[in-house]
Amino acid sequence: DPDEVPLKTPVVRTHPDTGRKATAEVIAVDYEANLALIRPIEADSDFLNDRRALKLADSPEPGDLLHVWQIEDNGTSVSTPVVLTRAEVTGYFVDNAYFLTYEANGTLQYHGGSFTLPVLKGDRLAGMLLSYSSKEQVSNILPANIIQHFLKEQSDGDYNGFPTLGIAFSQTLDEQFRKYLGLNGHKGGIYVSKVIDESSAGKSGIKEGDVILEIGGHPIDARGNYDDPAFGKLSMSHLVRGKPFVGDELPFKILRKGKEKNVGVKLERRSPDEHLVDPYMFDRGPNFLILGGLVFQELTRPYLKLYGDSWKSRAPIKLLLADSQPEKFEKDGSKKVVFLTRVIPTPATLGYERVNSVIVTKVNGQKINEIADFSNALASPTEGIHKIEFDDFPGIIYVDADLAEQINSCLLYTSDAADD
């Protein structure tokens, strides 16, 4: 989340010719688009004075020759030609964040010392290299228009990121399904299977069961694609994330109960901390609380990924359910999922050593919607005892309030001593 980034974070950059270094600060960062904007901390720095700024290229087309620039260890520049073959909408760096990506063919040899590889069309920047497969000889490139969107969004100093729609949809390829939806007179359309209440779509009136026929005047086919004039079939998500900005209104044509309807969708963006389960976390840690050795925290996607490559089948089922179906928890008022993640053996946790991965529902009779509620509820023990309720076994546990406070003080002292 750009709002969580300490903008004065120092970043060291090295001059390619001389090896000279300069400290820079982060102006804006977007983890979903895998982009950041930095500048030298010293306002009068001459670090880049002998460099020529590149202008952004107009959208290239399939068959265009591009060049990937690299720097060898001795400072010599190397240019490798690749041919742009196609474009598609794929994920860059963060789960479920999809953007336009160029695909180019050509042998690319890695030269030591290169960390970021610009891709040029003529003397203009066409994009930045995301990845390269030596086996397939295919390069994936972050396009210049995504970079331009990022820079324009940041130009007023208030970076809002890329818009999100907030729906799940199903294709309408089955003829019986199309007949059921009343699509007999339409060529395309996709079925809205889920709408997030606080999303752009939800706030603008898009409902589950609607069929999206057009976005921004572009017909949407039965697979969820539209016809791009340069690249042919592209996912409709590019019409939402790649072109308009947060705050823009995008016209939708939908089919609802057999009748066409025009809906203006005001585009917004849900930041990671607005999700029930934070989809990613950078530059900050999870919110947690320790009570006498019981460790509680808010559920995040990075935590689930600690279960390994097969986390979607190995992580606890209740936690996976919260991640995949957050609306079931949000309708109950939950802002976050607070759960017991581990138990440190202490006199206050005797008998609870094997309890873990259970979701907290109440503490001292107060409903827990986020970790702050937990902290507030601890101010009201009953006869010196904290009562903690869960959605699963063991159901309820009790903790001596005075003993827990003493142990917390010991744990805090031990942590401080370790830091020293």
Side-chain angles (χ1 to χ4, degrees):
D1 180 5
D3 294 335
E4 298 290 340
V5 176
L7 296 185
K8 298 300 181 181
T9 301
V11 180
V12 177
R13 286 292 176 259
T14 305
H15 197 287
D17 294 338
T18 65
R20 175 188 170 196
K21 293 180 172 60
T23 303
E25 61 184 348
V26 178
I27 303 304
V29 61
D30 191 312
Y31 295 110
E32 296 175 6
N34 203 22
L35 290 169
L37 181 65
I38 64 173
R39 68 182 175 197
I41 287 180
E42 297 179 5
D44 58 348
S45 173
D46 63 350
F47 184 70
L48 298 175
N49 282 3
D50 62 342
R51 301 290 99 180
R52 180 171 61 88
L54 287 172
K55 294 182 178 181
L56 295 174
D58 296 330
S59 296
E61 297 182 356
D64 283 351
L65 183 67
L66 308 177
H67 286 84
V68 181
W69 281 7
Q70 298 186 68
I71 303 294
E72 293 186 330
D73 289 333
N74 60 9
T76 303
S77 62
V78 177
S79 175
T80 306
V82 295
V83 177
L84 179 63
T85 54
R86 61 191 294 262
E88 62 178 337
V89 177
T90 63
Y92 283 2
F93 182 59
V94 174
D95 291 344
N96 300 320
Y98 300 97
F99 295 90
L100 185 69
T101 305
Y102 293 156
E103 186 176 288
N105 288 350
T107 303
L108 187 64
Q109 183 177 356
Y110 174 79
H111 294 271
S114 297
F115 297 96
T116 301
L117 304 182
V119 181
L120 277 78
K121 177 184 176 182
D123 61 353
R124 291 177 176 252
L125 184 67
M128 305 293 291
L129 192 72
L130 287 169
S131 63
Y132 172 70
S133 169
S134 58
K135 180 179 180 180
E136 304 292 336
Q137 295 185 3
V138 172
S139 298
N140 289 316
I141 300 165
L142 189 160
N145 60 350
I146 300 299
I147 298 173
Q148 186 176 42
H149 191 294
F150 170 75
L151 294 175
K152 186 174 181 180
E153 175 58 53
Q154 194 278 330
S155 61
D156 62 356
D158 182 22
Y159 187 75
N160 294 305
F162 290 76
T164 53
L165 186 56
I167 68 167
F169 69 87
S170 301
Q171 298 181 348
T172 60
L173 297 171
D174 182 79
E175 288 300 324
Q176 294 302 317
F177 187 37
R178 294 184 63 82
K179 184 177 181 180
Y180 167 78
L181 295 173
L183 282 169
N184 296 338
H186 301 273
K187 294 182 178 180
I190 52 100
Y191 176 77
V192 178
S193 57
K194 184 170 74 172
V195 179
I196 298 173
D197 290 340
E198 295 302 310
S199 67
S200 304
K203 291 181 179 180
S204 299
I206 301 292
K207 298 180 180 180
E208 181 178 329
D210 288 344
V211 178
I212 297 177
L213 302 174
E214 294 183 8
I215 299 178
H218 296 273
I220 307 302
D221 69 17
R223 290 184 169 85
N225 300 318
Y226 77 100
D227 284 315
D228 184 85
F231 295 102
K233 297 290 186 181
L234 287 179
S235 169
M236 70 176 195
S237 65
H238 182 55
L239 296 173
V240 176
R241 307 209 80 192
K243 297 184 178 182
F245 292 82
V246 171
D248 290 349
E249 184 170 291
L250 190 61
F252 277 59
K253 180 183 286 188
I254 65 172
L255 189 70
R256 178 177 296 169
K257 296 181 179 180
K259 295 182 179 180
E260 290 188 10
K261 181 180 179 66
N262 293 315
V263 178
V265 176
K266 185 176 180 180
L267 296 176
E268 300 181 0
R269 174 184 177 269
R270 294 185 77 197
S271 62
D273 59 359
E274 292 177 323
H275 289 73
L276 181 79
V277 179
D278 288 29
Y280 57 87
M281 299 188 75
F282 302 99
D283 301 316
R284 61 190 177 104
N287 294 323
F288 69 94
L289 180 148
I290 299 178
L291 178 65
L294 301 171
V295 183
F296 302 90
Q297 75 174 68
E298 292 176 347
L299 180 63
T300 66
R301 181 75 61 79
Y303 175 85
L304 293 173
K305 289 186 175 182
L306 293 176
Y307 284 87
D309 293 339
S310 301
W311 64 271
K312 291 184 178 180
S313 59
R314 295 183 57 193
I317 186 66
K318 286 288 185 69
L319 302 185
L320 289 171
L321 179 64
D323 180 59
S324 62
Q325 301 181 30
E327 61 278 0
K328 292 186 177 182
F329 293 81
E330 292 171 338
K331 287 180 180 178
D332 193 36
S334 296
K335 296 180 180 179
K336 298 291 179 182
V337 173
V338 179
F339 70 107
L340 177 63
T341 178
R342 62 171 297 186
V343 177
I344 302 172
T346 72
T349 62
L350 291 176
Y352 302 143
E353 294 88 347
R354 296 188 179 183
V355 181
N356 64 77
S357 302
V358 283
I359 297 173
V360 179
T361 57
K362 293 182 179 180
V363 173
N364 296 330
Q366 299 182 36
K367 188 176 182 304
I368 303 303
N369 295 320
E370 57 183 331
I371 202 75
D373 295 336
F374 198 125
S375 181
N376 294 334
L378 292 179
S380 305
T382 301
E383 297 182 356
I385 299 296
H386 292 305
K387 178 183 177 181
I388 304 172
E389 300 178 51
F390 302 99
D391 71 336
D392 205 343
F393 181 86
I396 300 175
I397 64 175
Y398 298 92
V399 180
D400 186 288
D402 290 337
L403 181 58
E405 186 174 348
Q406 295 174 29
I407 292 172
N408 279 2
S409 298
C410 292
L411 292 173
L412 179 62
Y413 174 78
T414 302
S415 176
D416 290 342
D419 291 340
D420 292 341

